[in-house]
Amino acid sequence: MSPIPNAETHVGSPRSRVDGRAKVTGAARYSGEFTAPDLAHGYVVNSTVAKGRITRLDTAAALAAPGVLEVFTHENRPRTAWFSYNYQDEVGPPGSPFRPLYDDKVVYSGQPIALVVAETFEAARGAASLVRVSYEAEAHETDLKNRMDEAYEPPKKRTGISPPPKPRGDARGAYADAPVKVSGDYWAAYEHHNPMEPHATTVVWEGGGKLLVHDKNQGVLNAQSYIASVFGLGKGDVRVVTPFVGGGFGSGLRPQYQLFLAVMAALELRRSVRVVLTRDQMFTHVYRPNTFQTVRLGANPDGALRSIQQHAIAGTSQFEDHQEVVVNWAGTLYHCDNVELTYKLAKLDTYTPGDMRAPGAPLGLFATESAMDELACATGVDPVEIRLRNYTEKDENENKNFTSKELRACYQVGAERFGWSKRNPEPRSMREGRELIGWGMASGAWEAQMMKTSARATLTADGKLEVACATADIGTGTYTILTQIGADAFGLRMEDVTTKLGDTTLPYSPVQGGSWTAASAGTAVQLACEAVREKLFKHARKASGSPLADVKLDAVSFADGRIEVTADPSRFVRIADAMRAGGVDRLEAEETAKPSMIDQLRYTGYTHSAIFVEVRVDEELGAVRVTRVVDAVAAGKILNPKTARSQVVGGIVWGIGMALEEETMPDHNLGRFMNHNYAEYHVPVNADVQGIEVVFVDEHDTKVSPIGVKGLGEIGIVGTAAAIANAIHHATGKRVRDMPITIDKVLG
Amino acid sequence: MPDHPTGSDTLPLSLTVNGEARQLRVAPWTTLLDLLREDLGLIGTKKGCDHGQCGSCTVLLDGKRANACLVLAVVKEGSNVTTIEGLAGPGGALHPMQAAFVEHDAFQCGYCTPGQICSAVALVEEGRARTPDEIREHMSGNICRCGAYPNIVAAIEQVLAENAR
Amino acid sequence: MNRFSYVRATDVAQAAREAGAPAAKIIAGGTNLVDLMKYDVERPGRLVDITRLPGLRAIEDAADGGLRIGALVTNTEVAYDRRVEARYPLLSSTILAGATPQLRNSATTGGNLLQRTRCYYFYDVGTPCNKREPGTGCPAIPGVNRIHAVLGASEHCIATHPSDMCVAMAALEAVVRVSGPGGERAIPFAEFHRLPGDAPERDTNLGRGEVVTAVELPARGFPAHYTYLKLRDRHSYAFALVSVAVGMEMDGGRIGEARFALGGVAHKPWRDPEAEAMLRGQAASRDLFERAAERTLRGAKGYGHNTFKIELARRAIVRALEQAAAGTPQSQVDKRIR
């Protein structure tokens, strides 16, 4: 083993992705790219009505087409679990999960109603167009506006999602009495996740009743349990292996229907089957719900909040109550004695919405932070200053202290880097040529979570380390940060460490989501490595004439393939010698990381940000450009500044999309999303994104997670849309409360 | 006209793929993208939308960037195709653009990456984009849902600067 | 995508003969046809590949000072052709405002003329559409119509023509050369595309078995005073909500010949001869341009989501005319709308 080039730790240093080579050479294999001898291909047929019954499903022409093996429908579906609870998964909301091909009922437009399986992809695709379907359609409702009167508080709460806190003080009375008031209604459009890799499952029929499943998901164990439960299989017979995920953003948290269909077909045909959804079919499952909000703020003339009222109504399906945290965020950002927050659902004839990058938070804070900006205008207090005046050092929803909160520093550092002090507060005061220039800002917050997660570390005598955990790397950099943690534990080079993820044979992990993976899997790897270090150290002390015989573990360092006395590196034992002394050639440990119950009872943990945005708006034509973004983020310890920055930049790009472009447009007459493709559902392209600066504010936090990490996957998007809306107001004087803020709304 | 043509499903096709001459047989409805991924096992070329709306399937077709998903393979008889698998040098040495993408963290999930890199290699060859704004415009045919755009631009700027030396 | 047979045509006559069969379709760049075939919107029984036809790949000077662009010349080749850049910069500008480098490398001049609408319903075989299946209805009228027509639509169809290139071709008064069973003929650009009327299934006046062989540009190319202003939902890789192509000749402060065409607002590139006539011989002024815009949009009708296009088009016309008169064309890279 060659010496480590310098003594700096990998953790905290910018490191290139360890899976970079695989990804830039095309070697990385995604779920729809595994193959098997005799692989059959499935192609899905979707419903064209939103609600009703299938009266006739004519598959004769499809079955007669060359290469077709079978057409699965509700009429010939193989037996699966009878009860809907068998279809439940780790993260699903209360309700009765959707069961593909279950019966003749259609519950949303785009529902899968048949799977054509053929020898080739083209044969399956061609035959799918020959399936003829008749429906008895029933009246449907997909328009949230028509169901708001029937909105209800979800009777059963979704696990892990905090409902709004109980009202504090008298928000309505305080609002009535407040000298300064702002109020507004806010809309957020439907959005679809649209990861670049479409959902795909390849089921390899291994014989003997065993399945090897490659499925696009954010948690292989969740997919495995689902399959086992639905098809009555033993977990030992189903192995799910997903080494690479081409983006998830929440769409892979719950099992999607292609997993069910591919496994069903493989079991029935007793051969390997692959089902890949088309881009259009990516609009036939999970999405971010259409959400309506009303916000009322009452304040003193100096901007001090006297009342906060925020009420949200979000759409959900007829069969499940999807819930997310939309309205609670003000309670963690601002001090206010009179607060009333409510969150209701309305049932629509759609598929169940689901978690999409920072579920709830960017919607809620779009409203809260737009209203705060409005309050700043109404009181003449600077937008940053008004947030500082209302700053809270306590989570007022839960009446707990924060594990840490460096949001104040975010405001200061962000404002400084952006040049906020040069801002003329007057709307329409800044222009260049025909463009109005606007500067806006907003706060962001996302819960810092840690979940029970296990990891294994295996050190071999040649000084190579393997760390393993069932979690996923959906582009977040998990492979890389776990490699860094492992390498530092033994003073190894990154190249000497192999990280294995995304395999149900590896130690337990929940789904990758909620920004909790770095803290959870990172801690688990750290603990497993520490356990191996202890074992190795014991062996090292036992070596004959060991120079470490009389030293303690905390007095040694691991570096250059050896264990050395920190104060006197000339006293050392090589890893290989320590193993020889112990009579082993490898040492292994599996450890489980759990959040501290005591700290959880006492504190709440959040990642925070302050985001500053410059927009340029063509005064006459309404075209908006985001020309500059500075995001100051306090997220505890930053494991890898390079991949961490990428996470935040990506979130900001999502925020630009949310604010200005992304909208799935439903035709309520047909109950169907119409712009179901990448040409008409606009996500940002390269030309939409200009200068983005990310600043990480120092934040030391030992309570949030043992390794001091808070998570970065969501925070980038959270305040971005509000900051853009505020910047557009500053540029134009126009307050748009309806996302996305397209050209027509700027003009209108 | 019936859905089924008379005669055999497949037609002969000669293509040069990553420098190797291939004699193939393809159905007329097989796209270049499906041919590469399914028949030739070159999975580096990605299917993101299959409709020319995302750029994940970008390859170099007779030296020019093209969306392989919208090309019927049979139409390209005699053509020369370079995919991501054909960019690295002997011994697996990364192409400068591949190395720059790794260095600048110009990707996250990696799914759009082969298309981005093929597109970026063509952009450099075309010689039309120089400034960051021009690079952004000329790379707008490649969607990156992870939002790695600023890093993609930085990687391309580095390669352009290296070439200018 | 359905199964079909394939033939590689070797000359124009053969291509026309093959293309004359009822279920046959011509394929060249494939960027729109293959797209539509995968959606089952197009289900040809036979594809006639014209990519090997001789004589359709050249850009040639014409005797009258114009330029003849072969049907198989790609969008990229046209946009960066030195003669086009120098003499018809409006055409370069419109082409580069559309699609992406990848698509422009494949898409051909002839194919671009025949590009079909982006109407959501036309593309979705799970919904009715009079253009796709005559007589089934137009759900866009009461439905989602953000990208639909405000001019020249009918009760049967409110689809728009999506091409950028064609907007310039309309302003340049190009001529489409076609070859078919009845021999060769020339179709003035204004007569090439149709309004939907009661036959929205027909996008163009091209006859069965007719093959587009070239587009001829007259000598007048407006190299000094032109602009293409395209407004869309993101800064690149998006179809126009509204676009305006302007070609103008200026004599001091006075306008000589003036043409402008709109994209994204109608079933064809939209020109209004009366509005253009108002400009000729007049001093360039904002007031004049506003009046011309008013005139152009006098019959405009919105359907809900797309009603904003009327005001947007009005403003875009004024801006585009101002830009052209001032000789400050819209840059396609720096999207600032000057």
Side-chain angles (χ1 to χ4, degrees), chain A residues 608-665:
Chain A
H608 294 96
S609 70
I611 182 158
F612 297 81
V613 168
E614 175 184 280
V615 299
R616 288 171 182 250
V617 184
D618 188 287
E619 187 177 6
E620 207 176 2
L621 300 176
V624 178
R625 299 188 296 144
V626 176
T627 45
R628 210 152 59 85
V629 178
V630 174
D631 196 2
V633 177
K637 188 177 183 64
I638 302 304
L639 297 171
N640 183 340
K642 193 185 239 184
T643 54
R645 177 182 169 275
S646 293
Q647 280 286 287
V648 178
V649 167
I652 293 167
V653 172
W654 271 62
I656 293 172
M658 172 180 253
L660 302 177
E661 300 174 3
E662 294 189 39
E663 176 177 21
T664 323
M665 293 183 277

Side-chain angles (χ1 to χ4, degrees), chain A residues 330-345:
Chain A
T332 67
L333 291 173
Y334 303 121
H335 165 69
C336 185
D337 293 327
N338 304 293
V339 178
E340 187 185 312
L341 310 172
T342 65
Y343 174 69
K344 292 180 176 176
L345 300 178

Side-chain angles (χ1 to χ4, degrees), chain A residues 114-239:
Chain A
L115 180 76
V116 178
V117 185
E119 298 285 355
T120 64
F121 163 71
E122 289 97 334
R125 177 179 62 188
S129 70
L130 304 175
V131 173
R132 294 286 165 262
V133 191
S134 307
Y135 305 91
E136 190 177 282
E138 294 167 32
H140 62 262
E141 184 58 76
T142 54
D143 191 346
L144 180 62
K145 282 179 183 152
N146 295 340
R147 281 282 163 86
M148 297 217 292
D149 292 346
E150 297 158 51
Y152 59 95
E153 280 182 21
K156 200 168 169 219
K157 304 303 176 198
R158 181 178 168 209
T159 310
I161 301 299
S162 306
K166 289 201 174 70
R168 303 193 285 279
D170 172 16
R172 291 167 196 228
Y175 179 77
D177 295 344
V180 185
K181 297 180 177 69
V182 299
S183 85
D185 291 345
Y186 295 82
W187 276 98
Y190 289 101
E191 291 186 309
H192 278 76
H193 301 65
N194 276 304
M196 295 308 299
E197 178 203 16
H199 278 261
T201 304
T202 305
V203 180
V204 180
W205 178 260
E206 293 194 312
K210 296 218 183 266
L211 301 180
L212 171 59
V213 180
H214 305 287
D215 172 61
K216 180 194 176 87
N217 60 56
Q218 293 171 236
V220 287
L221 290 163
N222 191 32
Q224 181 196 39
S225 319
Y226 174 82
I227 295 165
S229 170
V230 168
F231 294 99
L233 304 172
K235 282 195 184 176
D237 291 332
V238 182
R239 181 179 174 197

Side-chain angles (χ1 to χ4, degrees), chain A residues 491-513:
Chain A
L492 300 174
R493 301 176 310 167
M494 300 274 286
E495 303 90 284
D496 295 321
V497 181
T498 305
T499 297
K500 288 193 169 170
L501 305 176
D503 184 335
T504 48
T505 62
L506 303 179
Y508 173 81
S509 169
V511 293
Q512 175 168 55

Side-chain angles (χ1 to χ4, degrees), chain A residues 43 48 65-66 122-123 125-130 132 280 432 434-435 616 618-626 660-661 663 665-670 672-685 687-688 742-744 747, chain C residues 1-3 37-40 43 118-128 139-140 142-144 146-147 229 231-239 241 286 290 305 308 311-312 315-319 322-323 333-338:
Chain A
Y43 198 95
T48 57
E122 289 97 334
R125 177 179 62 188
S129 70
L130 304 175
R132 294 286 165 262
D280 288 56
E432 195 180 302
R434 283 171 151 153
E435 282 185 321
R616 288 171 182 250
D618 188 287
E619 187 177 6
E620 207 176 2
L621 300 176
V624 178
R625 299 188 296 144
V626 176
L660 302 177
E661 300 174 3
E663 176 177 21
M665 293 183 277
D667 178 320
H668 295 306
N669 301 320
L670 300 175
R672 186 173 178 86
F673 290 122
M674 287 317 304
N675 56 330
H676 42 72
N677 60 59
Y678 260 152
E680 267 80 30
Y681 180 93
H682 299 114
V683 303
V685 294
D688 292 317
T742 42
I743 213 164
D744 45 314
L747 282 184
Chain C
M1 193 190 290
N2 63 307
R3 299 161 68 85
M37 286 166 66
K38 287 183 187 176
Y39 285 128
D40 291 312
R43 294 178 66 85
R118 293 299 313 183
C119 172
Y120 319 114
Y121 301 90
F122 173 72
Y123 259 88
D124 183 345
V125 297
T127 68
V144 183
R146 179 173 177 75
I147 58 175
L229 175 62
L231 296 160
R232 41 185 153 177
D233 276 329
R234 64 182 171 195
H235 287 278
S236 189
Y237 206 178
F239 292 93
L241 292 166
R286 190 172 174 90
E290 281 174 354
H305 296 113
F308 74 96
E311 179 59 24
L312 186 62
R315 295 175 182 213
I317 291 167
V318 173
R319 175 69 61 83
E322 281 182 340
Q323 284 181 188
V333 171
D334 177 359
K335 295 288 168 29
R336 257 176 293 183
I337 298 155
R338 285 181 280 243

Side-chain angles (χ1 to χ4, degrees), chain C:
Chain C
M1 193 190 290
N2 63 307
R3 299 161 68 85
F4 53 84
S5 61
Y6 168 86
V7 60
R8 196 174 285 144
T10 52
D11 59 56
V12 173
Q14 184 205 358
R17 206 161 50 244
E18 289 277 5
K25 274 272 172 194
I26 287 174
I27 185 163
T31 51
N32 194 201
L33 180 61
V34 175
D35 170 38
L36 290 165
M37 286 166 66
K38 287 183 187 176
Y39 285 128
D40 291 312
V41 174
E42 297 278 10
R43 294 178 66 85
R46 186 167 176 78
L47 280 194
V48 184
D49 176 357
I50 61 164
T51 59
R52 312 287 156 146
L53 295 189
L56 271 56
R57 293 199 166 271
I59 301 178
E60 294 160 319
D61 281 306
D64 66 351
L67 210 56
R68 180 192 164 96
I69 301 169
L72 292 175
V73 180
T74 67
N75 283 180
T76 301
E77 288 161 351
V78 177
Y80 295 113
D81 182 89
R82 291 234 173 119
R83 290 159 292 182
V84 175
E85 284 181 328
R87 286 151 57 187
Y88 306 95
L90 173 61
L91 181 58
S92 287
S93 188
T94 53
I95 290 172
L96 295 178
T100 68
Q102 289 96 310
L103 288 164
R104 296 193 295 262
N105 280 341
S106 293
T108 62
T109 304
N112 200 310
L113 298 179
L114 303 172
Q115 198 180 348
R116 308 210 66 187
T117 183
R118 293 299 313 183
C119 172
Y120 319 114
Y121 301 90
F122 173 72
Y123 259 88
D124 183 345
V125 297
T127 68
C129 169
N130 283 331
K131 182 182 278 298
R132 182 167 30 77
E133 277 181 83
T136 54
C138 176
I141 292 172
V144 183
N145 50 45
R146 179 173 177 75
I147 58 175
H148 290 73
V150 293
L151 286 165
S154 78
E155 59 183 310
H156 303 288
C157 180
I158 59 170
T160 54
H161 186 66
S163 162
D164 291 294
M165 183 195 86
C166 289
V167 186
M169 295 274 196
L172 292 169
E173 297 191 345
V175 172
V176 183
R177 304 291 313 192
V178 305
S179 182
E184 297 201 4
R185 66 177 179 129
I187 308 175
F189 209 83
E191 292 163 29
F192 187 79
H193 296 101
R194 295 162 52 92
L195 290 179
D198 57 5
E201 69 277 13
R202 292 191 62 193
D203 293 348
T204 70
N205 286 314
L206 206 58
R208 176 139 289 284
E210 282 190 320
V211 180
V212 174
T213 54
V215 176
E216 290 170 351
L217 303 176
R220 201 168 220 161
F222 308 100
H225 294 276
Y226 70 93
T227 201
Y228 186 59
L229 175 62
K230 180 175 180 180
L231 296 160
R232 41 185 153 177
D233 276 329
R234 64 182 171 195
H235 287 278
S236 189
Y237 206 178
F239 292 93
L241 292 166
V242 168
S243 70
V244 187
V246 183
M248 227 182 240
E249 285 170 355
M250 298 293 292
D251 181 9
R254 287 203 178 272
I255 299 167
E257 176 62 358
R259 313 222 191 103
F260 65 95
L262 306 186
V265 296
H267 201 256
K268 61 188 284 189
W270 189 266
R271 279 181 69 191
D272 188 318
E274 287 178 37
E276 289 176 357
M278 288 169 65
L279 302 174
R280 293 187 192 112
Q282 303 297 309
S285 76
R286 190 172 174 90
D287 174 63
L288 174 69
F289 297 155
E290 281 174 354
R291 281 187 284 119
E294 284 298 329
R295 175 65 64 100
T296 308
L297 292 158
R298 65 195 179 282
K301 178 177 183 221
Y303 294 85
H305 296 113
N306 73 345
T307 306
F308 74 96
K309 282 187 175 185
I310 300 170
E311 179 59 24
L312 186 62
R314 194 190 318 274
R315 295 175 182 213
I317 291 167
V318 173
R319 175 69 61 83
L321 291 171
E322 281 182 340
Q323 284 181 188
T328 51
Q330 165 81 354
S331 154
Q332 285 314 318
V333 171
D334 177 359
K335 295 288 168 29
R336 257 176 293 183
I337 298 155
R338 285 181 280 243

Side-chain angles (χ1 to χ4, degrees), chain A residues 16-17 19-21 23-30 32-33 39 41 65-66 121-122 125 130 192-198 244-247 249 274 279-280 356-357 474-476 642-643 645-647 649-651 653-654 662 677-681 683-692, chain B residues 3-4 9 29-31 34-35 37-38 41 43-51 53-56 84-85 88 91-94 97-99 101-114 116-117 133 135-137 139-153:
Chain A
S16 292
R17 281 169 205 264
D19 50 347
R21 188 185 172 89
K23 286 176 173 174
V24 301
T25 57
R29 201 172 278 273
Y30 298 80
E33 299 172 342
L39 180 70
H41 299 258
F121 163 71
E122 289 97 334
R125 177 179 62 188
L130 304 175
H192 278 76
H193 301 65
N194 276 304
M196 295 308 299
E197 178 203 16
F244 293 102
V245 184
F249 316 112
R274 181 194 294 159
R279 178 55 52 188
D280 288 56
M356 178 164 167
R357 203 165 195 170
I474 58 174
T476 40
K642 193 185 239 184
T643 54
R645 177 182 169 275
S646 293
Q647 280 286 287
V649 167
V653 172
W654 271 62
E662 294 189 39
N677 60 59
Y678 260 152
E680 267 80 30
Y681 180 93
V683 303
V685 294
N686 208 318
D688 292 317
V689 179
Q690 300 187 36
I692 294 179
Chain B
D3 258 340
H4 310 290
D9 273 0
W29 44 83
T30 296
T31 62
D34 288 327
L35 176 76
R37 285 170 63 84
E38 301 297 330
I43 54 142
T45 307
K46 301 302 183 191
K47 187 183 279 192
C49 72
D50 216 14
H51 287 274
Q53 302 163 354
C54 78
S56 296
I84 190 73
E85 289 91 345
L94 294 182
M97 192 62 78
Q98 291 172 313
F101 266 60
V102 174
E103 190 183 333
H104 289 275
D105 209 33
F107 53 88
Q108 294 179 33
C109 81
Y111 199 78
C112 73
T113 311
Q116 298 276 1
I117 291 173
D133 272 346
I135 294 169
R136 289 179 191 124
E137 172 63 25
M139 286 302 291
S140 282
N142 293 83
I143 290 175
C144 169
R145 186 54 160 158
C146 295
Y149 298 128
N151 296 358
I152 291 168
V153 173

